[in-house]
Amino acid sequence: MSITRTPLPAASAARHAARSGLIQITVTGVLWGTTGVAVQLLREGTGLSPVSIGFHRLAIAALVLLACTAGRLRTIVSTLRAAPVPLLLTGVGLGLYQALYFAAVAWAGVSVATIVSLGLAPVLAAAWESVQARRLPGPLRLGTLVAAVAGLVLITGATGQPGAAAPAPLLGLLAAAGSGLGYAVTTLISRQVSQRTAPMTLTTISTVVGALTLAPFALVAGVGLPVRLDTVALLLHLGVVTTAVAYALFYAGLRTTPGSVAAVLTLLEPLTAAALAVALLREPLSLPVIVGGVLLLTAVAATYLAPDRADSR
């Protein structure tokens, strides 16, 4: 009597793809975490506003990606023509939620901007996925969300300069909420788009559209900067590593990773930023940062150790 073993390789391949997606988005969160130190050094060395730095970051990524995909420009254009609305929304969302986050930092401070924008995104994404599935999130998913957001609050509260002046706290809160909503919506849209669009194509289109979206804000704030080796190196790091490479990994990972899980994994961004601040900027390592880091890493570990149950809704 023969036993059919066909489903086993298929199931194993699906688990491997899911695990690969988790790894890709985890690496994305770590790469995004290097953005803060680079932006801080750029602001100190050039006086550029965060919005202008965000524009340079997306513009450099767009130019590099266009150069790398020069032989596939017809494919990119045809892809854009085939699904213009979701692709344009992904790019516009990429630019706008960054602009709203920068505005929230200026109006309400780093702590409020980071906690509200990054903390709101996984909650909103999980809520939308539950509505679509017509089920409440499972206990593991809820526990993962609570641990991740609690870790974010502890880390950001300890490293976000809470004593800094907040000239327009209500506007900053609204901008941060808009940024979190934009990040969640963009993640959910780009997850759907990523199912039928190659990661490099999706990254190229989104960075080009995102740069064009930020261009008017950057021109008002000023885009001129001194051409020095350190400035160029920092901008290339932001454009190539934290944008072109990171978003290509992010969109590739979204093919097999739910939006709410992706939003949790990218909360490694503030943890990485805090670790770099301790290592490179010699900032003190406080107890809230340690506890918050443990909570975030626990949430990530729960996602890795039980991805199927963490995805159940």
Side-chain angles (χ1 to χ4, degrees):
M1 182 178 65
S2 62
I3 299 176
T4 303
R5 299 183 180 273
T6 304
L8 291 180
S12 177
R15 284 195 298 269
H16 177 74
R19 196 59 57 94
S20 297
L22 294 176
I23 293 172
Q24 287 166 328
I25 294 179
T26 299
V27 174
T28 298
V30 173
L31 293 179
W32 284 350
T34 66
T35 302
V37 172
V39 169
Q40 182 176 342
L41 293 173
L42 268 175
R43 292 188 67 187
E44 292 174 354
T46 66
L48 279 176
S49 69
V51 172
S52 298
I53 294 174
F55 165 73
H56 282 295
R57 172 189 180 187
L58 290 176
I60 290 171
L63 291 173
V64 170
L65 287 166
L66 285 171
C68 292
T69 58
R72 291 181 289 168
L73 287 182
R74 288 186 178 180
T75 302
I76 292 174
V77 172
S78 62
T79 301
L80 183 57
R81 287 177 176 174
V85 174
L87 287 168
L88 290 175
L89 285 176
T90 298
V92 171
L94 175 61
L96 285 183
Y97 74 67
Q98 288 194 51
L100 286 171
Y101 175 76
F102 295 148
V105 170
W107 289 335
V110 175
S111 296
V112 170
T114 304
I115 290 172
V116 174
S117 62
L118 289 185
L120 195 60
V123 176
L124 291 174
W128 176 250
E129 290 168 356
S130 296
V131 169
Q132 284 190 313
R134 297 181 180 179
R135 293 180 184 176
L136 291 174
L140 181 58
R141 171 65 64 83
L142 286 175
T144 299
L145 282 173
V146 170
V149 173
L152 169 69
V153 171
L154 286 171
I155 292 172
T156 306
T159 60
Q161 299 176 345
L170 180 57
L171 284 176
L173 181 61
L174 292 174
S179 177
L181 176 61
Y183 177 42
V185 171
T186 303
T187 298
L188 292 171
I189 293 174
S190 57
R191 184 177 194 272
Q192 296 299 319
V193 178
S194 67
Q195 306 303 310
R196 55 183 182 275
T197 307
M200 282 290 286
T201 300
L202 179 53
T203 309
T204 302
I205 294 173
S206 62
T207 52
V208 170
V209 176
L212 292 174
T213 302
L214 278 185
F217 303 99
L219 289 173
V220 171
V223 293
L225 72 160
V227 180
R228 301 194 307 262
L229 182 60
D230 58 338
T231 302
V232 172
L234 288 170
L235 284 174
L236 286 175
H237 173 75
L238 288 174
V240 177
V241 178
T242 73
T243 306
V245 174
Y247 274 99
L249 288 171
F250 183 63
Y251 294 140
L254 281 178
R255 289 186 164 192
T256 56
T257 306
S260 58
V261 173
V264 167
L265 292 177
T266 53
L267 291 182
L268 286 172
E269 176 185 350
L271 178 59
T272 303
L276 287 175
V278 171
L280 301 180
L281 304 180
R282 300 184 182 277
E283 292 187 4
L285 182 61
S286 62
L287 181 61
V289 172
I290 296 174
V291 176
V294 170
L295 285 172
L296 268 175
L297 291 176
T298 300
V300 172
T303 303
Y304 270 87
L305 293 175
D308 295 331
R309 284 186 291 157
D311 189 31
S312 63
R313 297 184 289 277

